[in-house]
Amino acid sequence: MIKKFTITGLDCPNCAKSLETSLAKIKGVKSVKIEFLKQILTVESDNLNAVIPKVKKLTKSLEPNSNLTEIEDINNESLENKTCNITCESCNLDVKNESSKVEVDYKKNVKKYKKFKLDIQGLKCPNCAKALENELNKIENVKKVSINFVKNSLTFETDNYSTSYQKIVAITHNLEPQVSLKEATKTSAKKTFFIDISVLIFGIILGVCALFIPQPIWSSWVLYVLSALIIGYKTYIKAIKLLFKGIVNENLLVTISVIGATIVGDHMSHGGMGGHAEGLMVITLYTIGKIIEGLALNKSRNSIAELTNLKPDYAVLLVNEEEKRVAPQQVQIGDVIIVRAGERVAVDGIVIEGSATLDKQSLTGESLPSVVKEQNEILSGSIVLDGVLKIRTTQRYEGSTVSRILNLIENASDKKSKTETVISKVARYYTLAVMCLAVIVFGIEYLVLKDLSTAIYRGLIFLVVSCPCAFAISVPLTYFSGLGNASKKGILIKGSNYLDVCAKLNTIAFDKTGTLTTGKFEVEKIESLNKNLSEEDILYLSALGEQNSLHPLAKSIVEKNTKKLVKVSAVKEIAGEGVYFEYKTEKYFVGRKGKTDKQNTIVELFKGNTKLGIIYLKDAIKQTSKTLSKDLEALGVKSVLLSGDNNKIVSSVAKELNINDYYAELLPQDKFNYLEKIKQNKQTKLGFVGDGINDSPSLMLADVGISMGLNGSTASIEASNIVLVDDNPQKVVTAIKVSRYTRKIVWQNILLSAGIKVLFLTLGALGVTGMMWAVIADVGVTLLAILNSLRALKYKAK
């Protein structure tokens, strides 16, 4: 059994790794995983009831500022039959401009009343929020009730909090059974920041008193020790607790450095702040750096967290013309759901009634709203900006676009790049190695200088500069930012390992139908073989016979026709041949007779045995495919077209798309064999882009398989490493650009961190810089690396 928690208060990746190692040693625990950036703790055990209390206790012991909150599984029954009891006519109308804070005019507040705030969850209708707000304002001794629909908060003023709170909860539950209320608390990040700053300032004041106010030596030392303990208490406690668990990390390095700097300070001081000032400076600068580092890390986490806001909370299911609010997981294929303005589409489907403007930016990266109407496909995760839509679902929630996106985001960090994996493995032994090297530096310095204090001091500098935070945070953060950036653009990369390889691609093979073309045929030209019939007449007569057919070619002909169609008789459709029908007592046939034209896709029209005309159709090329080859060439990537169509059609498409290398009339096995041949060249990094079930072997064989997310088959999506949400092949170019940019930042951070550390290690060993600069170098490079990593999240590919 597996249980997940959100874990807050962890601002150090090495501390997270140490905690993970300690938790894994608990008896009964099969595995433990801490995802530092996403703040997720996963525990696997056969007896969770016995293990979880131990996990919570040990976590709080090793990381006192951490908080664990269980992530509850979605209860599929939780929303069923729980309907809103407020009469709200707007629920049956278009809801516009209601996504902002609902404001109501109130009487002036009496001074004795105090303001309180609650978190309100499960309220999905802005008009219901306003109606509930009005009802709550009728409670005796309660004033100025205000519901912020967007922020999910409820504020009110009262002179009797306990009684008022109970009444608010009771009325809310009665009117909105699915809504939950709880006391609002400040975010742990803000609360922790305030406490840390307050403690730090107090500790610094004591330190200043110890160093600059004339007093007896004993009182100076007392103030000094108190100052050092107060400023760095978190670091020391972590170091001691983890040491007893057999774990050595950067907290121990800093603790040793502070103690050592204090002891040898009198000998090494060059004046200024007193003999033992440098030890205090070490822990002060380090603590300030960790606080700033935590702020930067929270900023990145908040940016990344925006990606998971796609998840729909509910679906409005239409059953026997009655609306029922249910969990998305309860919606079946073929069900009808209703989506109103301000709501998020819960499940993929086809619009059967209504039209609306959609915000799809979180899915595809397109900032401009798009319009959908009847018979249009619609993706889950889209937000309806206006109008009301009835949608017949074509997927269950688990197979819908939004669910696939969330799953890919959730699991992307499991598949790490080689760079990330190496950093992770090295970090396990890094601290012990640094301590050993520090001893070696001490030994060399002592042998050369014959000065014990100087040797110890320079060995301590080595410890401080070598703290691994810059590597441990910046590398995974950069990859996660890159994956998040791509996701916001509608490019789902299933792991940083694939992002790494994508950056190295130099050859990409494309399937044709459904990938570079729409997969939907359009009428190219019409040829009339009867001088009494125009091209429009040929099209109209053909559309009469095809109007009820489900064949793709039939649908294209009917869509091209502009005249009003009438009912025909004696309709008989024969699979693989065409449609027989009667119109004005004459017998017609539309389809194909005799030999098939292998060079063109055609539909023929006959009256009796006389051929009246021919309609030529072609698979339309996507507009987004037009400049693809040229854009890839600019990146140094070669394009190849592989297709099962005949040579003439493939040649025509390749020419239009400026692709020089193309191969036609290929079976799936032929494509696979061709890609195998290309891969024999070890210098080639191969990508393959496809959408069909028959493309799955090729997608798996390529270094990076890229599939279409909208019309692609389930098999191709599963087999691929990258999914293009909206089937836009141009995003292959974007994926490569984002990948290359991310990889560039990863190496910038590695080289920057390593370079600065080597520089200050050298300067420290030579005695050019002291302990203070060692701390500044360590903290500074970590902050620079974090800020640089965030550029991968904000990068906009031109």
Side-chain angles (χ1 to χ4, degrees), residues 723-734:
V723 181
L724 308 181
V725 173
D726 59 351
D727 291 5
N728 180 354
Q730 184 66 34
K731 287 187 176 176
V732 172
V733 177
T734 306

Side-chain angles (χ1 to χ4, degrees), residues 340-536:
R340 295 184 172 84
E343 295 181 329
R344 198 180 290 273
V345 180
V347 183
D348 294 355
I350 295 175
V351 178
I352 59 174
E353 186 179 317
S355 63
T357 306
L358 296 183
D359 177 359
K360 298 194 294 184
Q361 186 169 6
S362 56
L363 292 176
T364 65
E366 299 299 329
S367 57
L368 291 177
S370 60
V371 177
V372 291
K373 52 188 179 181
E374 290 182 18
Q375 300 307 311
N376 285 165
E377 292 179 328
I378 189 167
L379 300 180
S380 56
S382 305
I383 299 172
V384 176
L385 300 178
D386 55 26
V388 178
L389 298 176
K390 277 188 181 180
I391 301 167
R392 189 173 301 283
T393 62
T394 56
Q395 292 280 354
R396 294 200 62 185
Y397 174 76
E398 293 78 9
S400 288
T401 303
V402 68
S403 180
R404 294 204 303 261
I405 291 174
L406 291 171
N407 285 335
L408 288 173
I409 293 172
E410 181 68 24
N411 297 321
S413 58
D414 293 340
K415 300 170 182 176
K416 300 182 184 296
S417 67
K418 289 183 179 179
T419 308
E420 198 173 355
T421 303
V422 169
I423 292 291
S424 180
K425 287 181 178 179
V426 169
R428 296 178 189 176
Y429 312 103
Y430 184 87
T431 305
L432 282 173
V434 164
M435 294 183 72
C436 293
L437 288 173
V439 172
I440 294 172
V441 169
F442 157 75
I444 294 173
E445 293 281 356
Y446 181 69
L447 290 173
V448 173
L449 301 174
K450 305 297 182 182
D451 186 328
L452 182 62
S453 296
T454 301
I456 293 174
Y457 185 79
R458 293 183 182 178
L460 294 174
I461 290 175
F462 188 93
L463 286 182
V464 173
V465 176
S466 300
C467 287
C469 270
F471 299 108
I473 293 178
S474 67
V475 173
L477 179 58
T478 305
Y479 278 117
F480 205 90
S481 296
L483 293 171
N485 188 331
S487 181
K488 287 195 290 187
K489 291 176 169 60
I491 304 163
L492 307 182
I493 304 177
K494 295 183 180 180
S496 54
N497 52 342
Y498 304 123
L499 184 145
D500 246 6
V501 180
C502 186
K504 302 174 186 176
L505 292 178
N506 52 32
T507 303
I508 297 183
F510 292 91
D511 170 54
K512 180 181 73 68
T513 306
T515 302
L516 298 177
T517 66
T518 62
K520 297 177 181 178
F521 288 85
E522 62 180 25
V523 176
E524 183 178 19
K525 70 174 182 176
I526 302 170
E527 181 181 351
S528 176
L529 304 178
N530 187 313
K531 62 181 181 179
N532 295 321
L533 296 173
S534 66
E535 292 180 3
E536 284 189 358

Side-chain angles (χ1 to χ4, degrees), residues 770-782:
M771 188 75 72
M772 184 175 70
W773 280 105
V775 177
I776 291 173
D778 172 57
V779 171
V781 75
T782 301

